[in-house]
Every structure is written in C-alpha cells, then in structure tokens.
Amino acid sequence: MQHETMRWVIAGAFWVIAIAVLIFASNERRRLKELRGIAETERDQTRRESETRHKELLIEAREEAHRLRDEIDEENKERRSELQRLERKLANKEETLEEKLGGLDKQWEMVRAREREAEKHYQEVLELKGQQKTELQRVAGMTADEARAQLMKETEDESRMDAARLIHQIEEEARTEGEKRARDIVTMAIQRIAADHVSETTVSVVPLPSDDVKGRIIGREGRNIRAFETMTGVDVIIDDTPEAVVLSSFDPVRREIARLALEALVLDGRIHPGRIEETVTRAQEEVDTMIKHAGERAVMESGVTGLHPEIVKLLGRMHYRTSYGQNLLDHSIEVCLIGTSIAAELGANITIAKRACLLHDLGKIVPDAEGPHALLSMELMTKYGESAAAAHAAGAHHNEIQVETVEDVIVQLADTISASRPGARREMLENYVKRLEKLEMIADSFPGVEKTYAVQAGREIRLMVRPEIVDDAAAHKLARDAARRIEEEMEFPGQIKVTVIRETRAVDYAK
C-alpha cells in the first residue's frame, strides 16, 4: 500500500512537471513570437528612417551642389570681368605704343630727308669745285696740283662746317626728345625707391668694459689671441686705444663672426682656447642665421619668388659685402626696384628684368673665383635653374657679352643709376685723382684747346678753346669727339658731361 501511494505521488509529480514544462514552452513560444514581432516592427522603422535620412542627404547634396555651382559661376563672372579689364588695358597700351612708333617713324623720315638734303648740298659743292678748278687754272696761272690742293682744302672746310651744323641740329632734336622721355622714366624710377648705404671698411671695433680685459684676451704667452685668430681667420689688434680692440679682415663675414664671438667672450669673462672654440662655433651659427634672414628679407622686399635656396643664401652673404662703400645687398634690391619700374614703363618683360636686376652681382661673392663677376653671376643663375634670358641679362650688364634684348639694357641702366646717383658710392682718393687727371689729359690732347677743368667731382669736363682756331661749328664736333674718346679710354660710373667754351674778347683802353 505504501509503495502504491509512492507510485501515484511520483506519477502526479511527473504530470505536474510535464504540464509545467508545456506551459513554460507555450509561454516561451508566445514570447518568441512577440519578440519577432517587435524585431519586425523595429526593422521596418529602421528601414523607413534610413530611407528618410537617405532622402534628406540627397536633398542636402543637391542644395550644396547648387550653392557650389552658384559660387563657381560668380567667380567665373568676376574672372571674365577682370580679363575684359586687362584686355582693355592691353589694347590701350598697344594703341599708345603704335602712336609712339608712328612718331618715331616720322622722326626717321625727317632724318632721311635731311640726309638727302645734305647729299644734295654735297653734289652742289662738287659742281662748284669743278667750276672753281677751271677758273683757278685760267686766272691764277696755278698748276693743276696746286689748284686741286687749294680747292680740296676749301671744299673740305665748307663740307665739314655744313656737316657739323646738320649733325648738331639733328642731334639736338633727337637729344631733346630722347632726354625728355628718358628723364621722365628714370626720375620716376628713382623716386619710387629709397635706400641707405653703409661705408666700406675692413675693420671692426669691439668696446671693452676696461683695459684689464685686454690681458685676458691675449692670455698666457699669447695663447688666447693666437687661438682666436686661428679659429676666426681675422687679425686682432690690441694697441693703446682705451677700452677697445680692433678686428681686421678683408672678409666681412669672418669679421662679423669674430666680432660676435669676442663680444660674447668679454661678456662671459671666461676666455680660454676651449671656450673660444665653443663661442666661435656659436657665433658662426648665429651669422648663418642672420645671412638666411637677410636673404629672405631681400626676396620679400624685391618681390622675386621661386628662388633656389642656395641663391637665397648667396643673397644673404651680400649683406656683408660692399662695393665702393655701397652695401651690395641694398644695391641689388635698389637695382631690382629701379629696373622693375623702367621695365613696366617700357613694356618689357618685368619678371626677367626683376630677377636679373636682383641677381646681377652674385658673382662678386663667389670665393676664389676667376673672371668677370657678371659672367660668374650668369653661371650661378644658370646652375640654379634661372631662365636663360634672365641669366644673359645679368651677364651682359658690364658688356662682357653682347647686349641682345631690352631687358639687358634695363639691367645696365638700373645698375648705373644705383651706382652713380649722389651719395651711393665713394672712391678711394688715389683713384679719384687719377680719373680727374686722365680726363684733363684727354681733353688737352685736342688741337685748339687752351685749358681744361674737371668739375662736379669729375662728372663734367670743361674745355676752354682758342676762338681763332675753333669756330662755333667745330666746337660741337670737338665736344662730340671728346665724349667718344672718353667713352673708349675710360671706365666711370654714370655719365660725364663735356662742355666746350669758346669766348672772343675785345679789349681797349681809353686814355
């Protein structure tokens, strides 16, 4: 009985468990179905949101495309307006140039007409010569050779006077027009720039706090000063000058390194060979940085872009070089600004003129180089990727090679203006005196010259002539011949004015 009860209990428990499992399974299926429904709903919602977002992005993209298209259309419109403005400006310049060319053609025709008139006069002189020859032989009873000699002399004198008058008239007209135009261009170019120049020197003075520092600079048995001179390559001059030491060297870069190093040593107070080497190295780095900054300043002030880094360094080194007292870097920047203004006025290639003017003196800072500095500049520009036209313009600025383009002439003119304007350069006294003596010697060599005076610091030479030997027509020829000979035999900055003075005096006394 007890076992039967246990079986019924177990069977009941089994059925209870089975029913519970069935109920749990049914609940789970129902829950799973609900979850699937929720998932379907969320998936549909996500799809709808995705489609909505996609449509919004398409709308935004279309709006952005329309905006960009409007901006591009506006930019194109502005560019077309700018191009039209530039085309109108170019057309105006072309019309102006054609008018100027027409004026030159008229002047050329006038010169040709005067040449034909001179030829006509010459033919008339030949006819008169024949008539005079016949008359002289008949009346004077002279031999043919004697009459021919006299006739040739008279005809030659008359022809020379006529030719001198005609040449003087043509030259005066051409000079008046050319000088007016050239004066306008040059004056405007000079007015647009202003530059300061330092004086040339081969020494630097380093101030000392007291004369006691001189002993430490010299060191025991001179070891400090020897080490300093060996490392810097400059001469240290310690004399009786109170509280100062002089550094002497023809290399301005080394002299600047030595100056900075010595000032640092004096300020620090520790002066010995090891400290000297460390200080000189640091001064070298500082000067290299200063050179780089000087080159970058020159590039920025001149407006020249795209230069090779090595050329920028060479420009920086020009800051420490002078020529006749004129700072080489400031001179190059000034030439660049002047050349740019002239090129713009003449309608030349501004880019070529600007680069050639800035780099025309690079050859002056090439160490241990042989040959004219203009040709060295051309080689450096070619080496570092500058155009052939710009390199040729720089190489031709002292006529070592033939001038071929208007840009070549612009570089010559800008260099001459910068070098010859008042205050730009100074000459050594000996060279200055020799130039004046050479000027007076050339002028005295012409017949009829009684006395010569070099004035205006050698920029003008005045020739006092004998009136009985040199007449008015011959005076013009004498001035022209003297100017040509000065150009051939001398080298000088700027220009030299030649003035011939002919004066006739009548003197009497009342008693």
Side-chain angles (χ1 to χ4, degrees), residues 142-205:
M142 300 173 64
T143 64
D145 293 338
E146 293 173 349
R148 185 180 299 108
Q150 182 177 350
L151 182 60
M152 289 180 63
K153 184 177 183 305
E154 294 179 0
T155 304
E156 181 181 357
D157 293 340
E158 292 178 359
S159 299
R160 184 179 293 109
M161 292 180 63
D162 291 339
R165 292 192 191 97
L166 183 60
I167 291 173
H168 174 66
Q169 183 179 358
I170 295 173
E171 285 183 348
E172 284 297 323
E173 293 179 358
R175 185 181 298 112
T176 300
E177 181 64 24
E179 285 183 355
K180 181 178 182 300
R181 176 62 177 158
R183 190 181 301 110
D184 292 340
I185 294 175
V186 172
T187 302
M188 182 178 60
I190 293 176
Q191 287 176 346
R192 289 182 179 177
I193 60 99
D196 297 328
H197 301 276
V198 299
S199 298
E200 182 177 11
T201 180
T202 58
V203 298
S204 297
V205 178

Side-chain angles (χ1 to χ4, degrees), residues 195-382:
D196 297 328
H197 301 276
V198 299
S199 298
E200 182 177 11
T201 180
T202 58
V203 298
S204 297
V205 178
V206 178
L208 302 177
S210 65
D211 286 338
D212 297 337
V213 182
K214 293 182 179 180
R216 283 187 285 166
I217 293 175
I218 296 173
R220 182 179 300 176
E221 298 179 356
R223 66 170 187 169
N224 290 346
I225 193 172
R226 285 197 303 269
F228 188 85
E229 290 179 341
T230 301
M231 294 176 188
T232 58
V234 303
D235 294 329
V236 181
I237 302 174
I238 300 177
D239 52 18
D240 296 336
T241 304
E243 298 181 355
V245 171
V246 177
L247 304 177
S248 175
S249 174
F250 286 99
D251 189 331
V253 176
R254 285 191 295 181
R255 193 170 65 247
E256 179 66 11
I257 293 172
R259 185 185 68 81
L260 294 175
L262 188 57
E263 288 179 351
L265 287 170
V266 170
L267 184 63
D268 182 54
R270 295 173 295 171
I271 305 177
H272 54 82
R275 184 64 178 170
I276 290 173
E277 182 177 2
E278 178 184 349
T279 306
V280 169
T281 302
R282 189 162 55 250
Q284 174 71 57
E285 295 174 354
E286 184 177 351
V287 170
D288 290 341
T289 302
M290 294 166 65
I291 288 174
K292 180 181 178 182
H293 290 166
E296 293 173 349
R297 175 183 66 84
V299 171
M300 182 175 61
E301 290 184 7
S302 61
V304 177
T305 59
L307 290 176
H308 194 281
E310 290 299 324
I311 289 186
V312 177
K313 291 182 182 179
L314 291 174
L315 284 174
R317 294 183 68 86
M318 293 171 70
H319 176 68
Y320 296 98
R321 288 294 301 271
T322 56
S323 178
Y324 296 99
Q326 189 177 27
N327 183 274
L328 199 56
L329 182 58
D330 291 340
H331 165 67
S332 298
I333 297 174
E334 183 176 275
V335 171
C336 180
L337 298 177
I338 295 174
T340 302
S341 298
I342 296 175
E345 289 297 320
L346 297 179
N349 191 311
I350 297 178
T351 302
I352 292 176
K354 181 184 293 187
R355 302 179 84 89
C357 287
L358 180 64
L359 307 178
H360 74 286
D361 274 346
L362 279 182
K364 287 187 176 182
I365 57 174
V366 178
D368 302 326
E370 297 182 358
H373 73 272
L375 299 182
L376 294 175
S377 300
M378 182 174 67
E379 293 176 2
L380 286 171
M381 292 174 66
T382 303

Side-chain angles (χ1 to χ4, degrees), residues 403-460:
V403 174
E404 296 178 353
T405 65
V406 65
E407 288 79 16
D408 298 355
V409 179
I410 289 173
V411 177
Q412 287 186 343
L413 179 59
D415 180 53
T416 302
I417 292 173
S418 176
S420 62
R421 66 178 180 79
R425 291 187 173 185
R426 65 177 179 86
E427 294 180 282
M428 299 300 290
L429 178 60
E430 182 180 358
N431 295 334
Y432 171 75
V433 173
K434 287 182 179 179
R435 183 157 67 90
L436 296 185
E437 292 177 350
K438 183 70 176 294
L439 273 176
E440 294 182 351
M441 181 188 70
I442 291 175
D444 287 335
S445 65
F446 288 93
V449 177
E450 184 176 10
K451 186 63 178 176
T452 59
Y453 299 96
V455 297
Q456 297 289 336
R459 301 193 183 279
E460 181 180 355

Side-chain angles (χ1 to χ4, degrees), residues 22-263:
L22 290 175
I23 293 171
F24 178 77
S26 177
N27 291 335
E28 287 296 322
R29 282 194 299 271
R30 187 173 61 252
R31 184 180 178 186
L32 180 61
K33 186 176 180 180
E34 292 175 355
L35 291 175
R36 286 177 179 174
I38 294 172
E40 288 291 339
T41 303
E42 291 180 351
R43 183 176 61 188
D44 294 339
Q45 184 178 358
T46 302
R47 185 175 61 254
R48 287 193 298 269
E49 291 178 353
S50 176
E51 291 175 354
T52 302
R53 181 58 179 166
H54 180 67
K55 292 179 181 178
E56 292 176 353
L57 290 176
L58 286 176
I59 293 172
E60 291 178 358
R62 290 193 186 97
E63 292 177 352
E64 182 66 18
H66 286 302
R67 186 182 63 79
L68 292 176
R69 185 178 62 188
D70 294 339
E71 290 181 356
I72 292 173
D73 291 341
E74 185 65 25
E75 290 181 359
N76 289 335
K77 183 178 179 181
E78 292 178 356
R79 290 178 180 175
R80 283 194 296 270
S81 300
E82 181 66 17
L83 287 175
Q84 292 174 357
R85 187 185 66 80
L86 292 176
E87 288 175 354
R88 289 194 297 271
K89 185 177 180 181
L90 180 60
N92 293 333
K93 285 191 174 181
E94 289 178 351
E95 292 176 359
T96 304
L97 182 59
E98 289 177 357
E99 292 176 358
K100 293 179 180 178
L101 290 176
L104 291 177
D105 291 338
K106 292 180 180 178
Q107 291 183 5
W108 176 248
E109 289 298 330
M110 292 174 62
V111 172
R112 296 286 295 177
R114 288 180 179 138
E115 288 180 353
R116 289 193 293 270
E117 184 180 353
E119 182 66 23
K120 180 180 178 181
H121 287 322
Y122 180 70
Q123 294 298 330
E124 292 176 355
V125 169
L126 291 180
E127 293 177 2
L128 291 174
K129 177 182 176 182
Q131 297 175 5
Q132 188 178 25
K133 177 180 177 181
T134 303
E135 187 68 17
L136 284 173
Q137 289 178 348
R138 185 182 66 80
V139 176
M142 300 173 64
T143 64
D145 293 338
E146 293 173 349
R148 185 180 299 108
Q150 182 177 350
L151 182 60
M152 289 180 63
K153 184 177 183 305
E154 294 179 0
T155 304
E156 181 181 357
D157 293 340
E158 292 178 359
S159 299
R160 184 179 293 109
M161 292 180 63
D162 291 339
R165 292 192 191 97
L166 183 60
I167 291 173
H168 174 66
Q169 183 179 358
I170 295 173
E171 285 183 348
E172 284 297 323
E173 293 179 358
R175 185 181 298 112
T176 300
E177 181 64 24
E179 285 183 355
K180 181 178 182 300
R181 176 62 177 158
R183 190 181 301 110
D184 292 340
I185 294 175
V186 172
T187 302
M188 182 178 60
I190 293 176
Q191 287 176 346
R192 289 182 179 177
I193 60 99
D196 297 328
H197 301 276
V198 299
S199 298
E200 182 177 11
T201 180
T202 58
V203 298
S204 297
V205 178
V206 178
L208 302 177
S210 65
D211 286 338
D212 297 337
V213 182
K214 293 182 179 180
R216 283 187 285 166
I217 293 175
I218 296 173
R220 182 179 300 176
E221 298 179 356
R223 66 170 187 169
N224 290 346
I225 193 172
R226 285 197 303 269
F228 188 85
E229 290 179 341
T230 301
M231 294 176 188
T232 58
V234 303
D235 294 329
V236 181
I237 302 174
I238 300 177
D239 52 18
D240 296 336
T241 304
E243 298 181 355
V245 171
V246 177
L247 304 177
S248 175
S249 174
F250 286 99
D251 189 331
V253 176
R254 285 191 295 181
R255 193 170 65 247
E256 179 66 11
I257 293 172
R259 185 185 68 81
L260 294 175
L262 188 57
E263 288 179 351

